[in-house]
Structure formats: structure tokens, C-alpha cells
Amino acid sequence: MAKDANKTIETAADVEAFLARVEPEERQADGRAVAALMARLSGEPPAMWGPSIIGFGRYHYRYESGREGESCRIGFAPRKAELVFYLAGLEDADFADLGKHRRGKGCLYVKRLAGVDIAVLEAMIVKSLAHMDKAYPR
């Protein structure tokens, strides 16, 4: 793989087989719930991106530096410690009523789905999809 090649590429790995290995059990159940939610909202089937990201849809990006590649439009990773959401186009106000979470650069971290307002999370996913549709038209 070239030095600048994207390491997170879509694979043929089975999403359900991956989810069946997620621990702890609560994270596995949360992962299945998020996968169903994102599939419903995006209209796209889940696909594995790299070894641990479940993504929905795809888009092509190109940076000013010339680097380009493909990535999922929205996605998440059910990590052992927490769920990591990959969403774009959100503002600080979008997180106000979500519930218990933390944020990183471009990521949303949630320990338990039961700790957040699912309607707010759903609105955030819808907003992220709208942002991606505008920024990267199909």
C-alpha cells in the first residue's frame, strides 16, 4: 500500500459476523441498533470499512493537496469502550440535548445508547447525511 493510501477502505467482510464478535454484549446490541438506524435513515446497506467501521453509502473526496479517496458517507464503530460515530456537518448546538457523550475531532463518542436521546441522535444523522449530499452530490 502506498504511503498516502487510505487505510480505511470498503471491504467484503460480513457486517453481522463482525457485530457477533463485539464485546461487551451491550455494545453488540447497541451496534445492531445503530446499524439498523443508519441503514433506515441512509437507505444504504451496512458495509465494513477497514477492520472495524460500519459505513453506509460512499463518496469520493479530493483535498487541495491532491490526496483523494473514497469513504463512507456516515458510519460508526462499536469499540469495546464506546460507540464511535463518524458524522459531518454538525454544529455545537446539535449536541446540546443529546445526553451523555464526548467529542473528538470529527467523532462523537457514546458509552451507551441508553444514555442518549435517540431522537436527537437520529436528527444528527439526518443532518450529517444532508451535509454529505450537499458537499458531495451523488
Side-chain angles (χ1 to χ4, degrees), residues 51-111:
S52 62
I53 296 173
I54 300 172
F56 300 82
R58 66 181 319 122
Y59 72 101
H60 184 84
Y61 62 85
R62 178 180 294 210
Y63 298 132
E64 286 184 21
S65 66
R67 180 185 165 112
E68 62 183 293
E70 300 260 327
S71 190
C72 53
R73 295 177 84 72
I74 59 169
F76 77 100
R79 310 256 190 243
K80 189 166 191 162
E82 56 204 343
L83 294 166
V84 183
F85 292 85
Y86 302 98
L87 303 171
L90 301 175
E91 301 169 8
D92 289 343
D94 297 319
F95 297 87
D97 296 322
L98 179 60
K100 193 167 175 112
H101 72 279
R102 68 183 181 90
R103 291 164 50 191
K105 186 176 180 181
C107 298
L108 165 64
Y109 299 89
V110 172
K111 286 202 181 281

Side-chain angles (χ1 to χ4, degrees), residues 8-16 18-19 31 34-59 70-79 84-87 125 128-129 132 138:
T8 306
I9 59 173
E10 187 173 3
T11 71
D14 184 83
V15 172
E16 182 52 39
F18 168 73
L19 284 169
V34 171
L37 176 67
M38 287 187 159
R40 179 174 58 82
L41 295 175
S42 70
E44 300 281 351
M48 293 301 303
W49 286 78
S52 62
I53 296 173
I54 300 172
F56 300 82
R58 66 181 319 122
Y59 72 101
E70 300 260 327
S71 190
C72 53
R73 295 177 84 72
I74 59 169
F76 77 100
R79 310 256 190 243
V84 183
F85 292 85
Y86 302 98
L87 303 171
I125 293 168
S128 181
L129 286 164
M132 293 303 293
R138 297 177 194 213

Side-chain angles (χ1 to χ4, degrees), residues 97-100 113-122 124:
D97 296 322
L98 179 60
K100 193 167 175 112
L113 271 186
V116 298
D117 185 321
I118 298 299
V120 173
L121 179 61
E122 184 171 324
M124 293 170 73

